[in-house]
Amino acid sequence: MAVTLQVLYPVGDGTTFDHAYYATTHMGLVGEHMGAHITSAQASKGLAGGPDTPAPFHAIATITFADQEAMGAAMKASGPVMADIPNFTNVEPQILIGEIYG
């Protein structure tokens, strides 16, 4: 069954996030090191949390894998991707692994 890895970068006092670097360099590293195991990948820039509500996240990445095995293989190859995080943010990312059912 297909699974997703979502990486959420919450907004907080003093947090920073370089969207240009993330979109070009970081997502490029995702493709380079994990891409062979990925079905699809996309990232969304937080704009709002609702009407007149600031965005609760700087960005959310959603990466889809064919199954848990593919995600495991991608994670084994993710060292350079993980090491790159401090280059674009000072946020501790939140992770959600999910099973696609709808």
Side-chain angles (χ1 to χ4, degrees):
M1 178 162 288
V3 295
T4 58
L5 170 67
Q6 292 185 299
V7 185
L8 302 89
Y9 298 92
V11 171
D13 289 342
T15 61
T16 60
F17 196 95
D18 184 340
H19 288 279
Y21 182 96
Y22 183 75
T24 56
T25 304
H26 187 72
M27 291 305 285
L29 288 172
V30 169
E32 178 182 344
H33 295 283
M34 301 168 67
H37 311 287
I38 293 173
T39 302
S40 66
Q42 64 182 18
S44 298
K45 180 180 179 178
L47 299 178
D52 301 320
T53 304
F57 299 98
H58 292 284
I60 299 174
T62 302
I63 304 172
T64 305
F65 304 92
D67 52 32
Q68 288 272 1
E69 184 178 326
M71 185 179 70
M75 295 310 293
K76 286 181 182 174
S78 70
V81 176
M82 302 300 285
D84 186 54
I85 293 171
N87 292 325
F88 62 88
T89 189
N90 62 354
V91 173
E92 180 72 30
Q94 297 176 0
I95 304 295
L96 174 65
I97 296 171
E99 185 175 86
I100 297 176
Y101 65 88

